[in-house]
């Protein structure tokens, strides 16, 4: 089975990683928001839109999401996350969803998201 | 059929270090071989262990679908990245997530959870 890497990161001084990977059985992408000045809702939607952009390069989309893992810096922002998420996923079958707190790369990362989709 | 390798215990909890089915290979939380080093040394050691386990399955870092790095403290992020960058293929690095969380031992600074694919035939 072949693996296609998605979203190669090459920022100087940053980690040498890919944002995601795809095979003919599963696709997955994970990132924090490039614009850390946004509100939690803005960061959430920015991330989800970028994930979907990578999904589209391998022929999938939010309609084929299987599982989404959310790491929130503060669980007190769950309601704000929920509203952004529900708006974004509206009109589609929802995937499995996990929301927990976790600390990500920078203090101004309010959320990090990993999404898995069928190809 | 599920293939399980290195069945042992993690602090008393039964586990297989590798479980594989079809095209997918799952690795247990991979720890450094010794815990007396700093974060850079612990990361290097855990990545060496990962290489060994991948090789045992006939695969290599190009077969990795996702690595989840659990860090004891996000203050270790830069030093962990330095060790990661020494290891990661310059042209085709693995996809990765890094989140901090409490690890099972006080002196354990980093843990790798890895999903890989069979890419070399079968």
């Amino acid at each position: 089975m072949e693996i296609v890497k998605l979203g190669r990161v090459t920022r100087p001084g940053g980690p040498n990683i890919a944002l995601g990977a795809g095979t003919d059985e599963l696709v997955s992408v994970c990132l924090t928001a490039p614009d850390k000045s946004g509100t939690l809702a803005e960061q959430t939607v920015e991330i989800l839109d970028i994930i979907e952009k990578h999904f589209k390069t391998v022929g999938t989309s939010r309609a084929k999401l299987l599982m989404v893992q959310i790491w929130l810096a503060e669980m007190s922002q769950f309601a704000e996350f929920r509203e952004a998420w529900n708006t974004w996923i509206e009109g589609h079958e929802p995937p499995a969803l996990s929301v927990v707190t976790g600390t990500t790369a920078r203090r101004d990362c309010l959320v990090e998201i990993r999404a898995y989709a069928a190809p | 059929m599920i293939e399980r390798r290195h069945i042992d215990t993690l602090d008393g909890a039964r586990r297989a270090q590798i479980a594989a089915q079809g095209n997918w290979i799952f690795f247990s939380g991979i720890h450094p071989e010794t815990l007396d080093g700093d974060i850079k040394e612990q990361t290097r050691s855990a990545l060496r262990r990962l290489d060994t386990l991948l090789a045992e399955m006939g695969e290599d870092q190009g077969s990795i679908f996702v690595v989840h790095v659990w860090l004891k403290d996000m203050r270790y992020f830069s030093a962990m990245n330095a060790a990661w960058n020494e290891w990661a293929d310059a042209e085709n690095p693995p996809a990765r997530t890094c989140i901090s969380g409490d690890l099972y031992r006080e002196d354990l600074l980093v843990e790798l959870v890895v999903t890989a694919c069979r890419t070399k035939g079968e």
Side-chain angles (χ1 to χ4, degrees), chain A residues 1 3 5 8 14-23 25-28 30 71 102-105 112 114 116, chain B residues 23-24 63-66 68 74 77 81 84-85 88-97 99-100 117-119:
Chain A
M1 191 163 66
I3 299 179
K5 301 289 169 57
R8 174 71 183 286
N16 181 24
I17 59 171
L19 293 180
T23 73
E25 296 184 0
L26 190 63
V27 184
S28 183
C30 179
W71 290 280
T103 316
T104 63
E112 177 154 348
R114 173 171 290 286
Y116 294 87
Chain B
N23 283 318
W24 296 90
S63 310
I64 292 172
F65 184 70
V66 163
H68 193 128
M74 204 38 82
F77 189 60
N81 279 333
W84 171 276
N85 286 352
D89 185 322
E91 302 304 317
N92 185 32
R96 190 190 81 180
T97 294
I99 307 280
S100 75
C117 298
R118 295 197 192 266
T119 63

Side-chain angles (χ1 to χ4, degrees), chain B residues 10 15-17 27-31 53 70 110-114:
Chain B
L10 176 70
R15 58 102 179 243
Q17 291 188 33
F27 297 88
S28 285
I30 296 171
H31 296 157
L53 292 172
W70 288 104
V110 60
E111 170 170 323
L112 309 175
V113 177
V114 178

